[in-house]
């Protein structure tokens, strides 16, 4: 059973602060979206990595930054009751949105198992400009993806790629040709949304 932490007038607007130089070169406050006794969900800004990845190994990620501050006994993190912070999934640093962190080893194992078993639904919003999807308001892209040989990007490969599927739905289109789309997937791989959008033109 998941126990939601009580919300009151003081905790409705809750943030986690990061000092200058830890994640970025200026002070950063990240909004807490929701929290239970097992996990915390925060509003990750674009340009910040959730966890270590070969493509962002030279920068500090949120996993590392949260645990450094917890180890330093920062009061706002001690109040969460966490014994550690562990990211449940990873998305491109360029993407902003919900980042979910377990607060204990048990919840980390359970939540990562849910994510790996495709029990979570991830939804993204993206803006496109293209004529190739004219008259089409719904698309499914299922091209398997593989890491490019020399560039830091994912590319389609039916021979050696890993399974990936994205469901695209157009929400709105402007007279100038720009469209707002919703993209959904059960397991987001790095660059999946952009790679699948490119595959579909």
């Amino acid at each position: 059973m998941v126990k939601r932490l009580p919300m009151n007038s003081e905790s409705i607007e809750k943030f986690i602060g990061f000092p200058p130089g830890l994640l970025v070169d200026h002070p950063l406050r990240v909004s807490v979206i929701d929290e239970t006794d097992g996990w915390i969900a925060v509003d990750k800004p674009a340009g910040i990595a959730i966890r270590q990845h070969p493509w962002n190994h030279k920068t500090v990620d949120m996993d590392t930054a949260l645990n450094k501050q917890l180890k330093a006994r920062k009061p706002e993190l001690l109040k969460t009751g966490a014994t550690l912070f562990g990211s449940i999934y990873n998305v491109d640093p360029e993407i902003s949105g919900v980042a979910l962190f377990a607060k204990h080893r048990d919840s980390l194992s359970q939540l990562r198992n849910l994510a790996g078993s495709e029990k979570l639904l991830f939804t993204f919003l993206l803006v496109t400009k293209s004529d190739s999807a004219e008259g089409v308001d719904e698309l499914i892209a299922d091209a398997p993806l593989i890491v490019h040989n020399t560039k830091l990007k994912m590319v389609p490969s039916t021979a050696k790629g890993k399974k990936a599927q994205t469901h695209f739905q157009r929400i709105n289109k402007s007279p100038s040709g720009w469209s707002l789309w919703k993209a959904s997937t059960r397991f987001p791989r790095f660059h999946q949304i952009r790679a699948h959008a490119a595959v579909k033109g």
Side-chain angles (χ1 to χ4, degrees):
M1 166 136 180
V2 172
K3 179 185 173 187
R4 249 190 182 72
L5 297 187
M7 297 292 280
N8 55 46
S9 58
E10 294 178 1
S11 63
I12 288 173
E13 200 69 36
K14 188 173 179 183
F15 298 91
I16 293 175
F18 297 90
L22 186 54
L23 279 173
V24 289
D25 59 4
H26 54 82
L28 178 68
R29 291 205 316 162
V30 175
S31 298
V32 174
I33 297 169
D34 202 357
E35 185 176 3
T36 70
D37 55 349
W39 53 260
I40 188 165
V42 302
D43 188 7
K44 183 192 90 67
I48 293 175
I50 291 180
R51 70 166 70 137
Q52 273 289 314
H53 186 275
W55 295 355
N56 61 267
H57 68 280
K58 293 181 180 177
T59 58
V60 176
D61 55 274
M62 292 190 78
D63 259 346
T64 303
L66 285 167
N67 282 297
K68 273 186 178 180
Q69 295 197 101
L70 182 64
K71 189 175 180 181
R73 302 190 62 77
K74 188 171 184 177
E76 66 192 84
L77 294 183
L78 291 177
K79 284 179 186 176
T80 68
T83 56
L84 59 82
F85 288 103
S87 57
I88 305 308
Y89 49 80
N90 203 8
V91 295
D92 313 8
E94 296 84 359
I95 292 175
S96 62
V98 182
L100 185 64
F101 297 88
K103 300 197 293 186
H104 312 286
R105 291 203 182 280
D106 287 347
S107 56
L108 179 62
S109 175
Q110 291 167 4
L111 290 166
R112 281 189 177 172
N113 184 54
L114 280 175
S117 302
E118 301 185 0
K119 301 294 185 185
L120 305 180
L121 179 66
F122 299 84
T123 303
F124 305 87
L125 295 177
L126 63 150
V127 176
T128 67
K129 188 170 187 180
S130 171
D131 295 328
S132 57
E134 188 65 38
V136 178
D137 291 328
E138 193 163 2
L139 297 162
I140 291 181
D142 57 6
L145 299 173
I146 192 171
V147 177
H148 191 278
N149 283 336
T150 58
K151 298 178 183 177
L152 302 182
K153 67 176 188 175
M154 301 290 279
V155 292
S157 171
T158 52
K160 296 183 179 178
K162 292 184 177 179
K163 178 180 78 169
Q165 185 179 82
T166 309
H167 180 202
F168 292 99
Q169 290 178 288
R170 194 196 308 264
I171 296 172
N172 203 349
K173 183 176 180 180
S174 73
S176 59
W178 291 95
S179 290
L180 175 64
W181 292 80
K182 179 173 77 170
S184 304
T185 182
R186 291 284 177 184
F187 190 83
R189 300 191 183 281
F190 251 42
H191 291 191
Q192 175 178 324
I193 305 305
R194 285 177 287 169
H196 276 173
V199 165
K200 291 298 183 179

